[in-house]
Amino acid sequence: MTVNQNMLRMEFVDFKMIFIIALSLMGSVVNSKQVGEFKLPTNFNPFRYELNVTTHLEDKFMFEGIVGIHMTCVDATDTIVLHSNSLNIDTESVMVANGVQNVVKVDSVSFNPKKDLMYVKSTVNFKPGDKYVLTIPFTGNITDDLAGYYKSSYVDKESNQTRWLAVTQFEAADARRAFPCFDEPAYKATFKIRLGHKRGLTSISNMKFMKQINCPLHSDYIFDEFEESVPMSTYLVAYMVSDFAYIEADNRYDEVQFRIIARKDAANQTEFANNLGPKVLKYYEDYFDEKFPLHKQDMVAIPDFSAGAMENWGLVTYRETELLIDLDVATIDNVHGVAEVIAHELAHQWFGNLVTMKWWTDLWLNEGFATYVAARGVDFLYPEWNSFQVDTVQNFLSVLDLDSLQSSHPVSVAIGHPDEISQIFDTISYLKGSVLLHMMNSFLGEDTFKQGIRNYIHKHKFSNAEQDDLWSSLTEEAHRQETLDKNLTVKQIMDTWTLQTGYPVLKVVRNYSAGTVTLSQEKYLTVKSNGKDDKSCWWIPITMTTSRDINQTKVKSWLNCENNNLTTPLAKDNEWVIYNIQMAGLFRVLYDTRNWMGIISTLNNPTKYKTLPVLNRVQLIYDSLSFSHVGDMDYVITFQLLKYLKHEKEYAPWWAALRGLSPINNLLKRTPKYVVFQNYMQRMLSSVYSKFINMSVELDGFENIHFKNIVTAEACGHQIKNCTQQAVDLFRKWMKIIDPDNNNILPKELKPVIYCQAMKCGGVDEWNFLWERYQRSNLGHEKENILLALGCSSRKLLLQRYLNWSLDSSIIRKQDAYTVFHFVASNNVGFSLAKDFLYRKIADISEYHQPRSDRLGRYVNVIGSQMKTQEELEEIQSFINKSSCYLKGADLAINQTIETIKKNIEWTLKFYNKIENYMV
């Protein structure tokens, strides 16, 4: 794989989290009136649910149940309004009672399917302050939509039989698909759940199992009753019926029962998670100064799962690749990914579950904080990895890329129709949110930040909060500890970062004769707006260092909207000045040419380059490449800076350089100039690749392994002969091994690279051999690596068949359909095939992914992001216009695609014919 493909693979690591992390984009921003239009009226406040659900698997694939919703009337009304979607409800059996026996006559029950609303109208007004119980019987189908209450399956190895299970996935607005409810996060209530199912199966829910009850009507069915829950939002309710195995942890910390639940055939892959989980819980109890409030914590590996994982309180559900792992086979990237996803979901038990956002506008409070504190947790448990720095670099650069588009969205964004909610589970909510929290930690200090968070959780636990509540707690603590000026508030600073799209570029211009430096800011955009009417402005924390003072990290001052042109003294004889120490603030820095040349002189000195902190070397590399890409800086300066890499020994700067060069790679591939870029990359990589040239030598150390992986992937991707030949030879040697499934002789850390190169250089035999390994494997990570690699083939017929298979869930699981499309589309040979597949099959793709229509935006994005001519822009715009009915809910993904193509066209016109002049 090329480094670009390696980074794209990050989409599938979480997430919800960084699968969640990547290309799912936000729909059109709505105003407050539209938000109100789609929210429930506030006439009732539910405080307790009694939920009974009977699950029928294999024969019927349906469920039936009855829910009793206890609620308090807040405002006089004759109508109860709640949510219901795709449920069959016998309207004649709907009842309302005031007290135990006082039945309130129901006049009518009606529905608004477009808004998922159910109306229960009485003949009299409900009285404010009175308590009522609304009872609704319902039935529904257990679908394969991966949303609501859905079915999943696997093949049992011992019997070779298909086994079925039913499991919930309710975030963001799909609890209403499983039972009628007040399906908004602000409506917290307790839940008393009973689950009926056939004997021989087991059920689990959020809370601990209490007792089993025989079913009087069906002797082969039983009911499991669970403890009443703590108050929680409907999207966190969870339950499952299966024949899974339960593996309990050796819990050394407190009274919390901790279990991993999975297919019996995968029970041997649970040890890592069972060991890590309780330690992470303990870390968070200490970090938040708040005990975990439940008696048990289950984590379940689901064979078919749309996201990466889901933080249901006490019952976290995962895609198998995010929970199960065989340490003898898995790569360090796999291990780190599982650790981070577990840490992310368990962080939610406090930030999201204990304290929940009032509305989806503040989703970033959930996801940004879970992403940030998960990186802290993993770093605490595995300090030898130095993974916090790696995460910081990857998150920071990802945000810089996406948030430089006009069509990005604010961290805190208005949400109206429920269809829009799923689209903000993206890089902005997760990664920008995390980077902003890291920035706050830097300028407030660790003690202030941590105590402010603790105060926030203590104040709002078992309730709901919004962004301003967090700002208030942090401000109070900062003023108490005197880490923030009394005249300044966190809200004043941070609203500029969360309520507007994008981020600034800090412009640094020195007056060398006067001995001064002038700072100013403007919004950074990769496609410049026509006018100068953008009034965006940020509170920027100013940290700086000079060649004489390299350890100055304290915030010296703030650049803000009232003081947006700041001139300060700076000694004339300083070689250079660098701002944003340790890359703590979310902004780029653009220096004058003389300052850049001073920095480059130091970097190119093998005895001095380390005087610049690693994270600042990362930012210098990435900023210079980005500035040159949009024409703000001469490429001559940037390629001069990159020459220093010949003596760079750290992973993070190399990662930044290779990621920063990938846009040039994408714009030149499939063009006559690509050979020029290939030759440049071969020269650039020759020295560092020589350190890692032997694929069979396995290294120790998190960063060392990542360093070798990324350099080897680039070397093979840019056709360094030794690399490609080694990969092909090793793969063909493996093909000849007896029992290759149990005797994989390939170096485990480089398997993804070797698989891809073997597919690229091989033919039908190699492809079929690897496909057979996929079918036989019981390891989720191995299957994922193989799926990605199969898309590297150079054989068009194989790729065409592979694309067709992606829409057949009997061959490739639905959760992996986009993965297949993405990696075929990213392949030079596969691009045109994938584009044609999308154009021809848009109706089929849309139907296949229902009800998640936002996923269509990803398909369009991966194709459009590789286009670079006016003709291609017109072509895809025509396709979008013709397919508009299938692309509803993906409007900003479409807008970003169009903006990206325009950016690509602009670069091609400016630089295509002269880029070779710089790469000397």
Side-chain angles (χ1 to χ4, degrees), residues 49 109 214 229 252 320 368-369 373 389 566 585 627 687 878 881:
Y49 287 77
V109 177
N214 291 323
S229 77
R252 293 162 288 175
E320 287 195 342
F369 201 92
V373 80
Q389 178 173 283
L566 180 65
F627 290 141
S687 177
S878 174
N881 292 338

Side-chain angles (χ1 to χ4, degrees), residues 157 731 734-746 755 759 765-779 782-787 790:
K157 276 195 170 184
F731 189 87
W734 179 41
M735 288 178 69
K736 296 176 182 176
I737 293 285
I738 296 173
D739 191 11
D741 298 302
N742 293 312
N743 295 290
N744 191 328
I745 61 168
L746 305 182
Y755 289 171
M759 295 304 98
D765 289 345
E766 287 80 4
W767 203 95
N768 287 342
F769 172 82
L770 197 58
W771 175 249
E772 187 176 351
R773 305 286 73 74
Y774 171 81
Q775 292 176 301
R776 290 176 178 270
S777 178
N778 186 41
L779 303 174
E782 181 70 357
K783 292 173 82 74
E784 182 181 70
N785 287 334
I786 292 173
L787 270 184
L790 290 169

Side-chain angles (χ1 to χ4, degrees), residues 47 124 152 156 184 261 263 301 369 721 749:
F47 60 87
V124 296
S152 176
D156 177 63
E184 292 176 4
I261 301 167
R263 296 180 288 115
F369 201 92
K721 288 183 180 178
E749 298 294 347

Side-chain angles (χ1 to χ4, degrees), residues 403-404 408-409 432 496-497 500-504 523-524 538 586:
D403 213 26
S404 63
S408 183
H409 66 83
K432 186 175 182 181
T496 67
W497 295 94
Q500 57 187 349
T501 303
Y503 58 87
K523 184 175 182 177
Y524 182 79
W538 290 262
L586 181 57

Side-chain angles (χ1 to χ4, degrees), residues 21 25 197 330 351 440 596 700 852:
I21 288 183
L25 302 169
H197 56 83
F351 230 94
M440 277 196 291
W596 274 114
D700 294 322
R852 293 295 304 275

